[in-house]
């Protein structure tokens, strides 16, 4: 099923829940899946950006945040994401900017 979604992709977005650190592990699995299945014409991996979603909850209550900037920077570096954005699907924060 995933190959149907990936077909002809030239970039990807992986989303995790900034209020749930465990969801970052799932993001790692999705990135690995993309890297194994999707390639550019020159056979390089497609660029993948990480969205730290539910930022609206962090703005309401900063203690809800479970992953720090430094951790996200390191995670992106270690897993070959091109970068990350704080996002909110609810308020549209940085959704267009991250694309």
């Amino acid at each position: 099923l995933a190959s149907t979604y990936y077909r002809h992709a030239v970039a990807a977005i992986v989303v995790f829940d900034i209020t749930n650190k465990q969801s970052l592990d799932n993001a790692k699995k999705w990135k690995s899946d993309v890297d194994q299945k999707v390639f550019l014409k020159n056979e390089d991996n497609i660029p993948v950006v990480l969205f730290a979603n539910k930022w609206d909850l962090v703005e309401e209550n900063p203690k809800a945040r479970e992953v720090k900037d430094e951790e996200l920077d390191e995670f992106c570096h270690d897993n070959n994401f091109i970068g990350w954005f704080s996002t909110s699907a609810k308020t549209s924060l940085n959704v267009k900017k991250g694309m």
Side-chain angles (χ1 to χ4, degrees):
L1 183 62
S3 62
T4 302
Y5 292 107
Y6 297 156
R7 189 175 304 142
H8 306 299
V10 294
I13 298 167
V14 173
V15 182
F16 83 101
D17 178 352
I18 192 69
T19 68
N20 178 353
K21 191 169 186 169
Q22 185 177 355
S23 70
L24 197 55
D25 292 333
N26 294 333
K28 185 175 182 177
K29 292 174 189 173
W30 279 106
K31 173 66 164 73
S32 177
D33 192 54
V34 169
D35 286 348
Q36 292 173 18
K37 296 177 180 170
V38 191
F39 303 93
L40 297 171
K41 288 182 180 181
N42 66 1
E43 298 192 20
D44 285 347
N45 289 107
I46 64 171
V48 181
V49 68
L50 182 66
F51 276 14
N53 198 38
K54 296 194 178 181
W55 208 264
D56 54 291
L57 298 178
V58 173
E59 289 176 338
E60 291 174 8
N61 177 11
K63 291 181 181 181
R65 184 178 183 176
E66 292 193 1
V67 186
K68 296 179 182 178
D69 286 2
E70 298 80 19
E71 293 174 276
L72 288 172
D73 292 339
E74 184 176 343
F75 181 85
C76 285
H77 179 266
D78 291 349
N79 294 284
N80 299 311
F81 283 88
I82 61 170
W84 67 273
F85 287 87
S86 54
T87 62
S88 170
K90 183 177 180 180
T91 67
S92 300
L93 174 73
N94 287 334
V95 173
K96 287 184 180 179
K97 184 177 181 181
M99 297 170 88

